[in-house]
Structures are given as C-alpha cells and as structure tokens.
Amino acid sequence: MADRRRINEPAGGTVKPVYTSRLTTSVSSLQQESTRNRNFNSLRKIYLKTGLTPSASGSAYLELEQPPRIESLSCSLLSTASTLKLTCTVHGPRPLPRSSPFAPHISLSTHVKFAPFATEQRRGYLRDAGERDLAVHLETALKGVIIGDRWPKSGVEIIVTVLEGDEDLWSTKDPRISQKEKDTANAAAMMSILSGCITIASAAIADAGIDCIDLISGGLAAVISWQPTALATDRAGQVAEHRDGKKVATILDPISTEHASILAVCVVGYLQSRDEITELWIKGDLASVENLDQGDVKNLINSAIQVAIATRLVLVEATRESAEMKMTRAGNAFIRV
C-alpha cells in the first residue's frame, strides 16, 4: 500500500540529464578571447527598480549589463560570461520582543544569500562563510547611513538575494594561472556583488521610508597588469603607466572574466553629499608591482569613488521615480475619499 503522505519515487530508474557543449577550443584561448570591449574608465549599464515586493516595507531589483558572448561559443549551451542580478527586501522598522533589553538605536540585521542557481557551483541551503562575510560588510556600510536614534527598541531586517553573480568561469579551469591570481579573481567577483548589495540596499531602504543621512552607493575599481596592443591601448586612454616594461592600469567596474591578471580590487560605500566612506575593502597583491607608492593606493580608492558617484545618478533617479509614484497613489486615494 502506497503512502499517500509522501511523494513516491518513479517506478523506473531515472538518469540525470547531461547537457553537452560544442566546445572545440581550449580554456586558455577562450580566456584570451573574452576581453574587455569597453574603455577602462567606462561602466556597465544599470537597471534599478524599486517597489517590486508588496509584502515588504521596501524592495528593489538591480541588474547590470550582460557582457558580450564569445563568438566561438555562439552555438554552445555553455555560458561564457555572467552578470549581476540582485533583489532586496526591507522588513521594518518593527518593535523588538519584550524580552530584549532596551536599545536607544535601531537594531540592523543584514542577510546576503545566493540562490542555488546563482553561480556555477551550486549553493546550499545554509549560508556559507562568504555569504556571512558579505552580510557583515553590508551591515558596516549601512550602519553609518541610517539615523538609528529615531527608532528606539526597534529592528529592521535587510535581505539581499543574489539571483546571478559575477564569477570567473575560466580562471578556475586554466592550469597556467596561479592560485593567488585565482583567489584575486574570486575576490573581485565577491566584491562586485558587495558593491551591488550596497546600492540596492540603499534603494530599498529609501523605498521603505527609513530616514537616512544620504543615499549610499557602491563603487568598484581594480588594478590590472596587461600587455599593450593597438586596441587595448586605445581603450586604456591615460589610465595606464609603464612599470619596468609592463603596463599597469587602474580600471573602473571590472569583470573578472575580462582580465587575465587582476592585481588588486577595491570596493567602497560612498556618501557623496557628505564626502564620506562608510565601507572600504581592498584585496589583492600590490606588493608585486615594483615602484609602488602611496599615490597608487589613493588612486585605486578614488577610482572606486568615481564609480560610486556615477552609480548614485541611477540610484537618485530610481528613488525619485518611486517617490513620485507613491505621491500619485496617495493623491488618487485622497480624491476618492
């Protein structure tokens, strides 16, 4: 007798589907073919929309422009590049339980979770160390923005879900790349996600009507080592410098799949009206660059701030759009009454 309270397995055996690819070129050649098609100081297009989750106090959706697909894999099912797609929901402010001690400021809780299909390596149900690390950095960036003393003994929960994350699909498969360069490429992907998390969380907080001192936006920049060519030199402009026969360039809005060698990455959470940085995270190995001085690190931070300022334009426009829609709805409801 079958158990009606359970979903029984199929009577016959099943085989996991395997999707083949028409991959005829090596991984190293694919990595060389996947180069940056935009200038070193240009950014990807950003789509930002608020108010998509009615059950939440505030919500937002962010998506970055998809990188161009490699021509040699146009007939393949294998993905060659990934973009960034995030959703954010804000729940609160709401009163804390009676058992909790009195707090004069609002209690901020941040959660960053990858969807199981967000990256090439499937994620589990429980949060791993990388997701917890992103949540801590996001909380640090937002604590300096929210005016917490206006909600004593209250809590707000910010949940960011990564639907698709920037990741390096080729460096982990190329045996010629060292482990240090692989770690830097993976760090660049994680820091790109953090930059998007800061921007989308700011939009969702504004959509929830929580008072802040300013809109915070995230910015990402990197230092790369590259071999000068005619096309690459034209795209680099004036951002590259000679270092003992090698070209070292500071680029804006990097993607790990577009660059073979990333030396260092920097992400900031920037408040433009107050000219303040609430989050600063630099990772990489700038010690390998000879004749390094303090100005190079400052230049990397300033480049990330430039990206944050440009991203803020999209953030302000999306917030203004949301406010105008709410005022229109409130006016129509008042007229009906």
Side-chain angles (χ1 to χ4, degrees):
M1 181 176 179
D3 189 355
R4 297 181 179 180
R5 292 173 295 181
R6 296 185 182 181
I7 300 176
N8 297 321
E9 68 278 359
T14 59
V15 180
K16 182 180 178 180
V18 177
Y19 300 97
T20 59
S21 172
R22 300 179 184 178
L23 184 59
T24 58
T25 55
S26 61
V27 171
S28 58
S29 61
L30 287 174
Q31 189 176 12
Q32 294 175 0
E33 188 178 348
S34 178
T35 56
R36 190 181 179 106
N37 294 324
R38 49 195 170 94
N39 295 332
F40 283 5
N41 56 357
S42 64
L43 311 180
R44 289 175 288 177
K45 296 180 181 179
I46 303 175
Y47 175 81
L48 182 61
K49 185 70 174 178
T50 59
L52 299 181
T53 308
S55 60
S57 303
S59 59
Y61 172 79
L62 182 141
E63 181 177 349
L64 296 182
E65 182 183 6
Q66 178 76 27
R69 187 176 176 84
I70 297 179
E71 296 181 358
S72 61
L73 293 180
S74 58
C75 299
S76 174
L77 297 174
L78 184 63
S79 176
T80 59
S82 60
T83 185
L84 185 63
K85 297 178 183 178
L86 304 174
T87 61
C88 179
T89 56
V90 176
H91 302 276
R94 50 195 176 191
L96 295 176
R98 292 185 178 181
S99 59
S100 62
F102 176 79
H105 302 283
I106 193 171
S107 176
L108 178 63
S109 177
T110 57
H111 299 271
V112 179
K113 186 70 182 75
F114 283 82
F117 49 83
T119 57
E120 186 181 14
Q121 183 180 1
R122 192 171 181 85
R123 301 277 179 162
Y125 176 74
L126 299 177
R127 292 194 303 166
D128 55 15
E131 294 168 336
R132 292 192 295 268
D133 194 17
L134 288 176
V136 171
H137 283 283
L138 179 60
E139 182 179 353
T140 304
L142 298 179
K143 274 187 175 180
V145 179
I146 298 176
I147 306 177
D149 54 357
R150 296 190 180 180
W151 293 277
K153 201 177 179 182
S154 300
V156 61
E157 188 176 10
I158 301 174
I159 303 174
V160 179
T161 304
V162 183
L163 301 179
E164 185 176 351
D166 283 333
E167 62 174 344
D168 194 347
L169 300 175
W170 303 117
S171 65
T172 56
K173 302 179 178 64
D174 195 346
R176 302 180 304 170
I177 298 180
S178 62
Q179 185 62 37
K180 183 182 294 186
E181 293 177 343
K182 293 180 181 179
D183 295 340
T184 306
N186 294 331
M190 295 293 288
M191 296 168 81
S192 176
I193 294 174
L194 176 61
S195 175
C197 289
I198 294 174
T199 303
I200 193 175
S202 179
I205 290 173
D207 185 56
I210 300 176
D211 294 340
C212 300
I213 59 177
D214 190 14
L215 291 174
I216 182 173
S217 56
L220 184 69
V223 175
I224 64 170
S225 176
W226 58 290
Q227 297 297 331
T229 59
L231 180 59
T233 305
D234 180 63
R235 292 171 180 165
Q238 302 296 327
V239 297
E241 297 179 358
H242 283 283
R243 295 293 174 88
D244 298 335
K246 295 182 179 180
K247 280 279 189 177
V248 177
T250 302
I251 62 174
L252 309 182
D253 191 19
I255 306 177
S256 56
T257 54
E258 292 181 346
H259 307 285
S261 179
I262 299 180
L263 302 179
V265 193
C266 174
V267 61
V268 298
Y270 184 66
L271 304 173
Q272 184 179 5
S273 63
R274 300 172 64 94
D275 193 20
E276 293 180 1
I277 296 177
T278 60
E279 170 65 20
L280 176 62
W281 187 13
I282 301 177
K283 195 166 184 178
D285 186 18
L286 285 176
S288 60
V289 182
E290 298 187 10
N291 301 327
L292 179 71
D293 54 8
Q294 190 175 3
D296 294 327
V297 180
K298 291 183 178 180
N299 184 30
L300 179 61
I301 298 175
N302 291 332
S303 300
I305 291 176
Q306 292 179 14
V307 179
I309 293 174
T311 305
R312 191 179 188 273
L313 300 176
V314 182
L315 179 60
V316 169
E317 188 64 26
T319 306
R320 182 185 295 113
E321 225 177 89
S322 175
E324 290 176 354
M325 290 179 60
K326 289 183 178 180
M327 293 178 63
T328 303
R329 293 174 183 174
N332 294 338
F334 179 76
I335 293 175
R336 291 176 184 176
V337 173

